[in-house]
Amino acid sequence: NGMRSLYRKPYQAIADEIGLDVVFRADTATKDVKSEMCEAAGTCGEAFAVVQHAIADSAVTPEEKSRVESAIRRAQAQLDDLIRSIR
């Protein structure tokens, strides 16, 4: 759901900044595999970008570590959604 994704970004940015995780309520409707695959690809890509940024200077600060962990947890959740969509 692209529109919902737009609303997640500001909240997630704030949460990342202060070291918290945001847990969004799951959609009640199961999405099709292709939609979930596209969302998982985007979320995993964002996680990889966060990791790449954190390790760019060969030193990971506590704040960067928190952002990396949050991004990976979001990617894991999205991959779980992808698994659930396969029937």
Side-chain angles (χ1 to χ4, degrees), residues 5-58:
S5 172
L6 290 175
Y7 292 111
R8 288 183 184 198
K9 292 187 186 286
Y11 294 113
Q12 194 60 59
I14 293 167
D16 287 345
E17 195 67 32
I18 59 175
L20 298 175
D21 289 327
V22 175
V23 178
F24 294 93
R25 286 185 230 142
D27 292 332
T28 54
T30 302
K31 296 178 187 171
D32 66 283
V33 176
K34 289 181 183 178
S35 296
E36 289 293 352
M37 187 176 64
C38 289
E39 286 191 36
T43 305
C44 289
E46 289 172 7
F48 293 144
V50 170
V51 172
Q52 185 176 22
H53 178 74
I55 64 173
D57 62 356
S58 301

